[in-house]
Structures are given as C-alpha cells and as structure tokens.
Amino acid sequence: QEEAEIRYGLGLVFRQQGQYAAAIEQFEQSLALYQAAANRIGEARSLKAIGLAEKYRQHYDAAQAYYADALSLYRDVGARAGESETLLNMAEVHSLKGAHDLAKDLLGSALYIQQTLNNEWWQLRILNGLGIVEMSTGQHEQALAWLEQGLALAEKLGDESGQAYLLCNLGQTFTHLGRHAQAAKSLQRGCTLAEAQADVNLQGLVQTELGVLALAQGEPEAAKQAATAAIACFHELGLEAAVATDLATLALAHLQLEEPEAALATVAAFNAIPAADLAQSGDYPQRNYFVCSQVLQALGEEEQADAMFAHARQIMLERADKLAAPATRQAFLENLAYNRAIR
C-alpha cells in the first residue's frame, strides 16, 4: 500500500497546484491499488478526492457520483469522520447547484458528527459551508454568525487556509449588507493569506469578490483590475467557466468607464461559455446574466438584452423553486439585490 499512499499524496500536490486532470489520474491509481489491497478506507478516501477535483472542474454530477460511492464505503465500515467529511463535500455541490435546503440538512448532520468527535478543524469547514448556504439564500445575518464562529475557530487553531476562505465569504456577506469598509478589510486579509498559501483558486475567488465590491462602491477602474486578475487566476487553472462572474463585472466596468466596444466584447466572451456552465457559475449565476443584460440595454442591444434578462429570471425562479421553506424562499427573492431587480 506504500505506492497507493505515494499516488494519493501526488494527487494532493497536483490538486493544490490546480492541475486537476493530473490529480485525478494519481487518485485513480491510488484507488485501484487500495481496491487490490482490500483497503476500504483508502478506497473511500481516493473516491472522495476524485470527487473534489471534479468539483473544482465544475463537473458537479461526476463529483456527486464519486462522493456517493465514498459515503457508502465510509458508512459500511463505520468511519464517522469520513462520513461527515463526505456529507460536507456533497453539501457544497448541492449549494452550488442551488439546492440550499438539502445542503443545509447535510451540513447539520456533518456538524453533529464532528462535534461528537470533538474535531474542531472539520467543524470550522462545516461552519463555513453553513455560512455560504445562508448567504446564498439572502439570510445574511445568520451567515455572518456562522462565518464569524468559523473564523474564530480557525484563528484558534492557527489554520490560515481556513481563515482565508472564511474571510472571503465574510467579505462577500458584508458586501451584500452594504458594509463596504468591513468587506474590503475581510477580502484584503483573505487575499494576503491566499497568496501566502499559494492557493491560486482562492486568489481568484477573492479577486472576484473585490471586483463585485468595487462596483458597489462606484469604482469601475478598481473593478476592472480585480476582475482581470481573477480571470487570469482561473485561466491559469484551466477553469474557463469559472470566469463568468468576472466577465459580467468586467463588462459593467467597461460600460461605466465609457468603453462600449470592450463592454460588448466582454459580453460576447460571456456568451461563448456553454449555457449549462453559465447556469451553475458562481453563487449567483442569475446576477451575471442580469448584469450583462443591463450592459446590452444601455448600449442599445435590446433584443440580446431581453434574452439575457429572461435567462436571469429563469435561473432565479428555478433556484427559488428548490427552496421548500417559505421563509427561505422569501429571503432569497427579497434580500438579494439582483433578485429584487429581476423580479
């Protein structure tokens, strides 16, 4: 099993570097070796690792299939920690696809297990997940409570990677609440930690949120710079669909800077991304379509603008329909600025 461990470790290195195809190749080799040795924990761990790499590539259905297999193995052998970790992974994908109620249920189960095991390192990651779910459904104050609890735990444990992700999500939540100074402080701290960790994916995520914040502050030049930096990060990782939010931000920044040709070219680049990917891009894909529709409307491209607005409304309503709780659905429709505008 030594070779299996080596392959698994190489996969982790490649994944950290954003080389997801190479990471999956190593994890698949470790999976085969663990299966040959009848090491079911190793097998489950490799399946979960492949799922995470697929999630980063935005292959969400593939990710969930690998997670489901891993979860079954962990439960068969009574590995509660592995079960909880996989529930968290599955919840993250459900949240990305807009199934926030289901994500919240899985996260609650995962948190209970880790609290029972007294594993604070995994608790802070689950708290981050709960914060994302609440933020994505417009329940911003509850999101802050989860995220701040997670940040305190990350600081206690000295986990700088955990701090960086929590700070990014805190910054996003503060932006939604109009607390721009706090948003900027959180995002800048997160950016510094992401750079120290050499985490290119997180650097891109932080720059994305800095671009959104800059637009909210009426600073299109800063938004342009941040969105361009985010796009460079995601292109470095080969995550072409991950730039959708940044292209929408960039298009609006060009418009506000009186650069109409650049704005139209950026919307065209947005439209070049497959529609199925655009519908699942970022936390708020409806925002991206709406922003592009506003840019097109301002430039007199009314037919294209109407089509983009229709896509925004369709995505918003589809995501609202996935929210069973009336209060959650109402918060989603009323507390997110772009949803209010789309309605």
Side-chain angles (χ1 to χ4, degrees):
Q1 298 186 49
E2 183 177 352
E3 184 181 353
E5 290 294 322
I6 292 171
R7 295 292 182 185
Y8 183 83
L10 285 170
L12 294 178
V13 172
F14 283 128
R15 193 176 68 195
Q16 176 67 21
Q17 294 173 343
Q19 300 182 54
Y20 300 121
I24 289 172
E25 182 180 350
Q26 295 298 323
F27 291 138
E28 286 176 339
Q29 292 187 48
S30 72
L31 174 62
L33 291 165
Y34 283 129
Q35 287 172 332
N39 184 334
R40 303 187 77 192
I41 293 293
E43 183 181 349
R45 190 173 57 157
S46 295
L47 287 165
K48 186 162 69 71
I50 295 170
L52 187 55
E54 292 288 16
K55 187 205 85 167
Y56 285 137
R57 296 204 298 180
Q58 298 190 338
H59 298 166
Y60 297 138
D61 290 340
Q64 291 292 53
Y66 283 110
Y67 290 152
D69 288 343
L71 182 63
S72 179
L73 282 169
Y74 280 130
R75 284 176 169 168
D76 283 349
V77 299
R80 297 283 281 163
E83 177 185 353
S84 173
E85 295 161 18
T86 310
L87 289 172
L88 168 60
N89 294 143
M90 297 178 82
E92 289 172 341
V93 175
H94 283 305
S95 183
L96 286 166
K97 295 181 72 173
H100 299 298
D101 284 344
L102 180 54
K104 192 171 181 179
D105 288 343
L106 294 176
L107 289 167
S109 298
L111 184 61
Y112 173 78
I113 292 172
Q114 295 297 350
Q115 288 173 335
T116 301
L117 298 173
N118 197 30
N119 189 330
E120 293 182 322
W121 191 84
W122 275 103
Q123 286 178 47
L124 73 88
R125 277 154 178 76
I126 297 167
L127 292 167
N128 184 53
L130 285 164
I132 292 171
V133 169
E134 300 288 12
M135 174 180 64
S136 299
T137 54
Q139 299 179 102
H140 303 309
E141 293 297 341
Q142 184 58 57
L144 283 182
W146 290 120
L147 294 170
E148 287 172 344
Q149 185 180 344
L151 181 60
L153 198 52
E155 290 172 343
K156 171 188 171 184
L157 298 175
D159 182 350
E160 293 191 347
S161 177
Q163 290 176 53
Y165 278 92
L166 284 152
L167 286 164
C168 178
N169 291 319
L170 274 168
Q172 189 176 1
T173 305
F174 282 132
T175 298
H176 283 302
L177 289 167
R179 293 157 64 174
H180 295 160
Q182 289 170 288
K185 182 178 178 181
S186 294
L187 291 170
Q188 291 296 347
R189 280 185 62 199
C191 188
T192 299
L193 289 170
E195 290 173 354
Q197 297 285 317
D199 189 332
V200 179
N201 184 62
L202 180 55
Q203 290 175 50
L205 293 173
V206 174
Q207 291 295 337
T208 294
E209 295 311 322
L210 284 169
V212 173
L213 172 62
L215 284 181
Q217 293 176 307
E219 299 175 1
E221 185 60 43
K224 179 178 173 180
Q225 293 175 9
T228 301
I231 290 169
C233 289
F234 295 132
H235 280 171
E236 180 181 338
L237 298 174
L239 301 176
E240 303 305 321
V243 303
T245 299
D246 306 297
L247 289 172
T249 294
L250 189 57
L252 185 54
H254 281 309
L255 177 68
Q256 294 177 354
L257 291 167
E258 299 182 359
E259 299 167 353
E261 291 183 1
L264 285 173
T266 305
V267 173
F270 176 89
N271 278 325
I273 298 172
D277 292 334
L278 287 174
Q280 300 184 91
S281 57
D283 295 315
Y284 311 100
Q286 71 273 25
R287 172 264 184 194
N288 303 332
Y289 274 108
F290 174 71
V291 169
C292 287
S293 76
Q294 296 299 101
V295 171
L296 290 168
Q297 187 73 36
L299 295 175
E301 302 289 342
E302 294 186 6
E303 184 175 347
Q304 290 185 60
D306 289 345
M308 298 286 268
F309 184 86
H311 280 302
R313 183 171 174 78
Q314 179 183 356
I315 292 170
M316 181 194 72
L317 292 176
E318 286 175 352
R319 294 200 162 206
D321 287 343
K322 293 178 181 179
L323 302 172
T328 304
R329 178 185 170 90
Q330 182 178 0
F332 174 76
L333 292 172
E334 296 182 0
N335 294 350
L336 294 170
Y338 294 105
N339 287 351
R340 289 199 302 273
I342 293 167
R343 292 178 72 193

